[in-house]
């Protein structure tokens, strides 16, 4: 199994603060990988280094064997990596359909084609009945589904999700979990989920990677990692 995404020694500094230190791991095609760790561990920073929002100060990011280190977010998206944001970013004064069309325009110039794609992905994420609603009128959960629909409309090979479960009710978390499973199983998309809360992501992930203080402290199957002493200590230290 060759890696879809590979990080090799990725380091990112903000002034004197090392947010990511020498982080190395692979994500294979067809996997759901959880990237977990306490608040401030460096998860979002690493995510932004992969998605082209930050250029790492050291190390390399490879996608399908190609060195994409320092590529712009647009270029990264075109190559097949889509993302959602920890703090929901949608176009509030545009409709659900139009929001998803923005993603679809990554692959087509045709307005009617993009609109069809928006209907298909809108329906897939459960917003089929709200395509003509203004995005700003949606609930937080619906806005999260919308972000996901827009990301999927770019037709990614790899989907990066930053804290999708934060702020959701138990019932909404359940729908999100189902949706993520369907993204993998029905669409064949590889998923990297960044999450602070371990409970939800553990049963969903084929493999987890744990960050603490900017460093990778553990990697493996969820059941192994949740017994790892360094991981337990990192999470206990948070309380
Ligand atoms: N743009 C930034 N400028 C300066 N410091 C930042 C910036 N983004 C994140 N940090 C710092 O980097 C560290 C890691 O943050 P972050 O990647 O957001 O962690 P996580 O997503 O795991 O909670 C934190 O100490 C945070 O304050
Ligand atoms: Mg974060």
């Amino acid at each position: 199994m060759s890696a879809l995404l590979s990080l090799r020694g990725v380091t990112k500094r903000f002034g004197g603060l090392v947010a990511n230190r020498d982080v190395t791991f692979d994500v294979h095609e067809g996997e759901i990988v959880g990237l977990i760790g306490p608040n401030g561990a460096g998860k979002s920073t690493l995510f932004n280094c992969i998605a082209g929002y930050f250029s790492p100060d050291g190390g390399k990011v490879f996608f399908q064997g190609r060195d994409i280190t320092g590529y712009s977010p647009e270029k990264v998206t075109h190559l097949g990596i889509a993302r959602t944001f920890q703090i929901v970013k949608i176009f509030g004064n545009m409709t659900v359909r139009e929001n998803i069309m923005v993603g679809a325009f990554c692959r087509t110039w045709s307005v009617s084609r993009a609109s069809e794609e928006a209907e298909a992905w809108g329906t897939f994420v459960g917003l089929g009945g709200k395509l003509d609603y203004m995005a700003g009128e949606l609930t937080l959960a619906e806005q999260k589904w919308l972000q996901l629909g827009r990301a999927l409309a770019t037709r990614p090979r790899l989907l990066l999700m930053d804290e999708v479960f934060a702020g959701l009710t138990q019932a909404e978390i359940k729908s999100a979990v189902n949706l993520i499973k369907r993204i993998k199983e029905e669409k064949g998309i590889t998923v990297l989920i960044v999450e602070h809360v371990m409970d939800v992501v553990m049963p969903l992930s084929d493999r987890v990677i744990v960050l603490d203080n900017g460093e990778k402290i553990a990697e493996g199957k969820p059941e192994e990692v949740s017994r790892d002493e360094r991981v337990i200590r990192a999470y206990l230290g948070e309380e």
Side-chain angles (χ1 to χ4, degrees):
M1 211 166 37
S2 76
L4 182 63
L5 177 76
S6 298
L7 272 65
R8 291 292 175 269
V10 171
T11 296
K12 177 69 189 170
R13 296 187 190 89
F14 296 112
L17 181 107
V18 186
N20 294 141
R21 188 190 300 272
D22 200 17
V23 180
T24 293
F25 64 79
D26 291 332
V27 174
H28 299 284
E29 187 104 54
E31 280 189 305
I32 297 181
V33 174
L35 179 63
I36 65 170
N39 268 322
K43 304 182 295 295
S44 293
T45 301
L46 194 60
F47 192 98
N48 283 317
C49 286
I50 299 167
Y53 288 76
F54 293 150
S55 189
D57 297 303
K60 299 251 174 238
V61 181
F62 298 92
F63 182 61
Q64 297 181 289
R66 175 176 185 163
D67 183 353
I68 62 160
T69 318
Y71 275 29
S72 68
E74 294 80 1
K75 202 154 178 203
V76 169
T77 310
H78 271 279
L79 288 175
I81 301 180
R83 69 165 303 177
T84 64
F85 294 86
Q86 177 169 357
I87 295 164
V88 173
K89 289 189 185 179
I90 46 146
F91 307 107
N93 55 359
M94 284 165 49
T95 65
V96 166
R97 180 193 301 273
E98 289 164 345
N99 268 271
I100 304 177
M101 283 172 75
V102 172
F105 281 130
C106 171
R107 303 282 173 221
T108 180
W109 289 107
S110 158
V111 174
S112 60
R113 181 90 194 100
S115 181
E116 281 166 28
E117 287 276 311
E119 271 174 40
W121 289 113
T123 304
F124 182 77
V125 300
L127 293 173
K130 296 200 167 175
L131 289 167
D132 297 312
Y133 281 51
M134 295 307 262
E137 295 170 23
L138 302 177
T139 65
L140 173 69
E142 289 170 336
Q143 292 185 349
K144 291 201 167 195
W145 314 151
L146 176 56
Q147 282 204 108
L148 200 52
R150 185 181 56 196
L152 290 167
T154 69
R155 298 209 163 263
R157 301 269 307 256
L158 174 68
L159 176 66
L160 308 175
M161 284 188 274
D162 199 356
E163 306 231 353
V164 251
F165 304 111
L168 299 185
T169 66
Q170 286 305 314
E172 289 163 349
I173 288 174
K174 238 177 136 185
S175 331
V177 166
N178 280 329
L179 198 53
I180 294 165
K181 286 184 178 158
R182 288 178 57 213
I183 289 169
K184 172 187 161 172
E185 280 154 23
E186 293 173 26
K187 306 295 176 186
I189 297 168
T190 306
V191 182
L192 179 64
I193 313 177
V194 165
E195 186 55 55
H196 162 228
V197 185
M198 277 209 268
D199 315 4
V200 190
V201 86
M202 286 300 205
L204 183 60
S205 302
D206 299 308
R207 216 149 51 80
V208 287
I209 291 154
V210 190
L211 286 187
D212 185 34
N213 275 319
E215 286 183 77
K216 183 176 90 174
I217 59 163
E219 176 175 2
K221 298 225 173 294
E223 57 274 19
E224 298 162 6
V225 164
S226 58
R227 285 196 301 264
D228 187 298
E229 220 171 281
R230 278 187 83 181
V231 176
I232 295 166
R233 234 182 297 129
Y235 269 90
L236 286 179
E238 223 198 356
E239 302 314 313

